[in-house]
Amino acid sequence: MQYTLFLQQKGVLQQYAARCRIGRGSIASRKPLSRQRDLMPDRPYKPRRPVLLSGISIFIIGLLGLGVYPSLVAQTTAPAPTLLSLKTVSVPGPSDAELLAFVRDKKAAIQLGKALFWDMKVGSDNRTACASCHFQAGADNRITNQISPGLLSGDRTFQLGSPNYTLKGTDFPLTKHAAVDDRATRMGDVNDIVSSQGVFRSDFVGVDTIGATDLCSALSDAVGNGGFGFHRDALNTRRVEPRNAPTVINAVFNFRNFWDGRGNNVFNGVDPFGMRNANALIWQEQNGLLRQIFMTLPSSSLASQASGPPLSAIEMSCNGRPFVALAKKLLPLKPLSTQQIDQRDSVLSALYDNTARGQTTYQSLIKAAFQPEYWQSTTPVVLSPLSQQSPGNMDLVRQPKRNFDSMQVSQMEANFSLFFSLALQMYQATLVSDNAPYDQFAEGQSNALTVQQKSGLAIFRGQGKCINCHTGAETTNASFQSVVAKRLERMTMTDAGKAIYDTGFYNIGVRPTAEDLGIGGTDPFGFPLSETRMSQMGRTDLLGNGFNAALYPTVQPNERLAVDGAFKTPTLRNVELTGPYMHNGGKSTLMQVVDFYNRGGDFAVENKANVPPDITPLGLTQLQKDDLVAFLLALTDDRVKFKKAPFDHPALCVPMGHKQDAAGKLVADVGNTLQAADASFQCLPAVGAGGSATALNPFMQLNPATR
């Protein structure tokens, strides 16, 4: 029989359901009262019979009050730490004084950054914007031509389907188990990556400044021709990135960006790698003379990250395009020249009128946003072939370098990587989602969460162990606040041995370690991406942001490290809308993610040398899983779901795979017979500050609670 039970714990009266075995006088179990099912539309709500207080239940309560069952009282957990709304966390970034050295007008810089982020002309094909991979709650939910082979493991074959494949719900999870809670029952697995389509394989030749077009030479992407395999029916398809695109919303809270942390916390003005690139220099006018200087802007990983994709030969660019070429193309143009802007846009409304926009160019926006000593000089800058292309190209799979003749450019063109990247950081720093039901609950609105979500929160913080990696209001140990407190940590591993790792980066057994080393990899200069390994080799001088080795564990020369196959812990905010999940995009619903953790990972046994102890079977029941998923939905901010400011945006069209004939064969593009024609474009209308009446849906419109 089940009864209501009240326990007084540290002055707080808590309510439980107690199960009593009649005639034996003992309480067999206790658990929280029944949950509501209002967030699970596919699971009909079945109300339980009301629990009635009887004589025996009153007797039990009385005995507890007298201390007859002290062991039961001792089982109640101590109160958890206070919940905090994200509104209580300061947005990281350089200080006002540090920023003022480069930015003269923050509002103008944010406007420039938003325009550049959404402008399709940033891509070499004039169809690919930064937002093309980050338009759905800061992520990407397309399903056609969105798979990549296991490029980082050296694989060039598609296992799930061929290029231009359309994903189906039954494809997920990519690693399948006969029993979802038993990792020993793995019965199917593919190493393909679900990610975002970018550009076709081609080499950069030059810029047609009159037509604002990159001139590129198409190359076959067939494996036999040195390509990656994005090739079918004798035609290239758009390439797909080797890791899933994470959300840019709340990315400002990350200490480092990209899955492997190569978006350095210090911005050097040129590429993602901070002080690791000794040749990263910008041009500053000093007393009428142009000089090259090192730039080390701290707390700016978003700027470091932003400097990478525009030159990526997978994501946005013809191979070998230097930033100065992008500058020559964009500077004379009016912002978003081929895209609509809503007149109520929270940032770009001043550019709504075509006449006003026609009087504004990217050049004029840079002049308004940045300090004159970085753009005003009339002295030409002569760039050598080496200085035109940073050796710090961000592509994970290295591309052949392109050689160019020396060229003469303006100071503004020479410093365009600085303006582009820092403006994007200024804009993305405004994309803070801090008004989810969870935030409202943490602020004292007790009804902001349902009974079921409150139960899920308790599991999140308890048996589920989620909070051990997704800590704080930011829901990630990789947050600025978490990392600056302790950049390196020592932990006891699953085999009881101790190892040191980079705070916020973990190998959780998503894929075999050797397929993708993550933060265990190296940068283009031969340095480890891992700060732990950098410390071990004595190069903490390149880590920046006040790294003080005395505050962290000393890494001995032969000490065990846990960094190979480790990836940045992502934020869980708006996770309902940012599928597919994991760095390989291998899970399509939140329930599949919860199943993954409940069985203790997919490859945790194989990866045990680098797997933390929390990746172990959790023993959650289906009821507990449902509650945990329900809680994760409480991390969705309605402003994100309905694209309200600051998440409003200009119009954008993204490619949705390639044309096929009646026999299923790819159709060539009229303008380039080596490339498959784009089949269609998903065109998002411009949205103003008031948002859209249509809500965003989860990936493939799947119910988050299904598998």
Side-chain angles (χ1 to χ4, degrees):
M1 297 179 66
Q2 182 171 293
Y3 302 96
T4 301
L5 179 65
F6 295 90
L7 299 178
Q8 184 172 354
Q9 177 72 5
K10 295 189 177 182
V12 178
L13 196 63
Q14 302 183 24
Q15 186 177 9
Y16 297 89
R19 191 175 299 280
C20 181
R21 297 174 182 171
I22 303 299
R24 299 182 64 180
S26 64
I27 298 175
S29 66
R30 60 181 178 83
K31 58 185 179 180
L33 288 173
S34 59
R35 323 286 194 237
Q36 295 179 358
R37 294 290 165 216
D38 55 341
L39 292 185
M40 303 295 169
D42 64 326
R43 296 177 60 125
Y45 171 59
K46 296 180 180 180
R48 297 184 182 180
R49 289 178 297 173
V51 178
L52 302 177
L53 284 175
S54 65
I56 190 168
S57 65
I58 296 173
F59 173 68
I60 292 171
I61 295 170
L63 290 178
L64 288 168
L66 293 173
V68 176
Y69 290 98
S71 61
L72 179 60
V73 176
Q75 292 175 22
T76 61
T77 58
T82 303
L83 299 176
L84 293 175
S85 164
L86 190 57
K87 296 186 188 75
T88 66
V89 180
S90 298
V91 177
S95 69
D96 288 343
E98 290 166 334
L99 198 59
L100 186 61
F102 302 96
V103 177
R104 68 193 299 189
D105 187 326
K106 288 184 179 180
K107 184 177 179 180
I110 292 169
Q111 186 181 65
L112 171 63
K114 184 170 184 177
L116 288 169
F117 183 86
W118 289 91
D119 200 323
M120 296 186 295
K121 289 200 171 181
V122 174
S124 280
D125 59 358
N126 284 350
R127 292 179 174 178
T128 304
C130 300
S132 296
C133 298
H134 301 284
F135 62 89
Q136 160 81 12
D140 186 356
N141 68 345
R142 289 173 289 177
I143 62 173
T144 300
N145 196 46
Q146 291 280 99
I147 58 173
S148 178
L151 295 177
L152 299 181
S153 64
D155 187 9
R156 299 294 185 267
T157 61
F158 289 76
Q159 299 178 4
L160 185 62
S162 63
N164 204 45
Y165 179 76
T166 297
L167 292 161
K168 304 184 297 292
T170 53
D171 293 328
F172 296 93
L174 298 188
T175 303
K176 293 180 169 61
H177 292 76
V180 296
D181 294 328
D182 187 352
R183 62 190 178 190
T185 66
R186 189 167 66 234
M187 64 178 186
D189 178 64
V190 298
N191 73 348
D192 288 346
I193 307 297
V194 180
S195 186
S196 298
Q197 60 198 286
V199 293
F200 297 94
R201 185 191 183 195
S202 61
D203 277 347
F204 179 77
V205 177
V207 179
D208 176 2
T209 54
I210 297 176
T213 302
D214 284 356
L215 303 176
C216 300
S217 174
L219 301 171
S220 170
D221 214 0
V223 174
N225 291 320
F228 291 163
F230 297 102
H231 187 83
R232 199 187 102 194
D233 304 330
L235 295 173
N236 289 345
T237 60
R238 289 181 177 272
R239 293 174 149 188
V240 178
E241 299 167 49
R243 290 182 187 142
N244 183 33
T247 179
V248 296
I249 295 175
N250 287 349
V252 67
F253 292 101
N254 294 330
F255 183 75
R256 284 181 282 175
N257 274 287
F258 292 121
W259 281 105
D260 57 12
R262 69 192 188 282
N264 202 275
N265 56 84
V266 174
F267 179 46
N268 62 23
V270 175
D271 64 21
F273 300 101
M275 293 184 290
R276 297 159 178 262
N277 184 356
N279 295 315
L281 300 168
I282 62 171
W283 296 85
Q284 183 185 41
E285 186 180 58
Q286 300 176 359
N287 300 319
L289 298 176
L290 272 182
R291 300 183 185 278
Q292 287 187 284
I293 64 168
F294 287 100
M295 175 181 175
T296 55
L297 186 64
S299 308
S300 295
S301 67
L302 275 179
S304 296
Q305 185 276 331
S307 68
L311 304 188
S312 166
I314 296 177
E315 297 188 36
M316 301 183 74
S317 177
C318 300
N319 182 46
R321 177 176 67 165
F323 247 113
V324 291
L326 180 57
K328 284 186 174 295
K329 173 182 171 181
L330 290 183
L331 288 176
L333 299 182
K334 63 181 183 180
L336 299 153
S337 57
T338 60
Q339 296 162 252
Q340 291 184 336
I341 299 172
D342 191 281
Q343 62 180 325
R344 295 153 297 184
D345 189 288
S346 60
V347 172
L348 302 173
S349 58
L351 302 178
Y352 165 73
D353 181 83
N354 279 332
T355 301
R357 204 188 325 181
Q359 297 170 349
T360 303
T361 63
Y362 279 118
Q363 183 180 49
S364 62
L365 287 180
I366 287 173
K367 289 180 177 180
F370 288 94
Q371 297 291 2
E373 57 261 41
Y374 298 102
W375 52 259
Q376 70 182 358
S377 177
T378 58
T379 303
V381 174
V382 178
L383 296 180
S384 66
L386 176 63
S387 62
Q388 288 177 53
Q389 183 178 3
S390 165
N393 186 286
M394 64 151 277
D395 278 329
L396 294 166
V397 185
R398 304 286 186 249
Q399 308 289 294
K401 292 201 178 297
R402 303 283 295 146
N403 294 318
F404 303 97
D405 295 332
S406 296
M407 68 167 66
Q408 183 172 292
V409 299
S410 69
Q411 183 193 18
M412 182 180 286
E413 291 169 337
N415 281 339
F416 191 67
S417 58
L418 162 64
F419 306 134
F420 182 97
S421 306
L422 197 48
L424 257 68
Q425 169 164 295
M426 298 292 290
Y427 164 59
Q428 290 181 86
T430 70
L431 302 180
V432 174
S433 166
D434 59 5
N435 197 36
Y438 172 82
D439 297 295
Q440 297 163 17
F441 181 74
E443 292 159 12
Q445 301 179 41
S446 60
N447 294 328
L449 300 186
T450 66
V451 173
Q452 183 185 23
Q453 288 173 329
K454 291 174 185 176
S455 172
L457 173 58
I459 295 165
F460 184 92
R461 307 178 84 194
Q463 185 178 345
K465 301 183 180 180
C466 314
I467 198 171
N468 292 354
C469 294
H470 295 281
T471 191
E474 306 95 318
T475 67
T476 170
N477 283 5
S479 71
F480 190 91
Q481 183 173 236
S482 173
V483 174
V484 295
K486 198 167 189 179
R487 285 167 74 165
L488 310 182
E489 294 191 74
R490 183 179 282 113
M491 67 177 163
T492 301
M493 307 297 289
T494 53
D495 61 3
K498 293 184 181 298
I500 298 182
Y501 69 101
D502 291 40
T503 297
F505 290 80
Y506 305 97
N507 183 330
I508 59 174
V510 173
R511 299 298 310 159
T513 296
E515 284 188 9
D516 188 346
L517 292 178
I519 202 173
T522 57
D523 63 28
F525 315 99
F527 294 115
L529 293 173
S530 163
E531 292 195 343
T532 304
R533 280 212 171 109
M534 288 288 279
S535 298
Q536 193 172 52
M537 66 186 292
R539 292 310 308 266
T540 59
D541 59 305
L542 298 180
L543 298 183
N545 257 78
F547 187 95
N548 184 349
L551 300 177
Y552 317 119
T554 301
V555 188
Q556 301 299 330
N558 297 317
E559 186 162 6
R560 177 178 174 182
L561 310 181
V563 298
D564 289 337
F567 295 91
K568 175 173 59 66
T569 303
T571 178
L572 295 181
R573 287 182 170 272
N574 306 297
V575 70
E576 171 191 3
L577 307 172
T578 59
Y581 305 106
M582 306 299 191
H583 73 271
N584 71 328
K587 317 297 180 191
S588 63
T589 69
L590 291 176
M591 185 59 72
Q592 289 180 6
V593 173
V594 171
D595 286 341
F596 166 87
Y597 285 108
N598 197 48
R599 62 178 167 262
D602 291 345
F603 295 92
V605 175
E606 295 87 336
N607 298 0
K608 63 183 179 181
N610 290 282
V611 173
D614 287 332
I615 304 302
T616 186
L618 301 174
L620 298 178
T621 66
Q622 186 58 50
L623 179 65
Q624 289 175 306
K625 292 182 186 180
D626 291 342
D627 293 352
L628 184 52
V629 169
F631 165 68
L632 293 175
L633 304 188
L635 295 169
T636 301
D637 189 327
D638 268 356
R639 294 176 303 158
V640 174
K641 181 177 279 191
F642 291 95
K643 302 184 178 183
K644 297 180 180 179
F647 310 107
D648 55 331
H649 59 76
L652 177 75
C653 292
V654 295
M656 302 286 285
H658 300 288
K659 287 182 181 178
Q660 300 182 161
D661 61 19
K665 188 175 180 179
L666 291 176
V667 176
D669 188 358
V670 175
N672 189 327
T673 56
L674 187 60
Q675 297 177 175
D678 290 313
S680 62
F681 287 83
Q682 176 186 348
C683 290
L684 312 176
V687 178
S692 170
T694 304
L696 297 178
N697 290 309
F699 179 62
M700 300 181 78
Q701 300 191 40
L702 296 170
N703 186 319
T706 62
R707 61 174 63 88

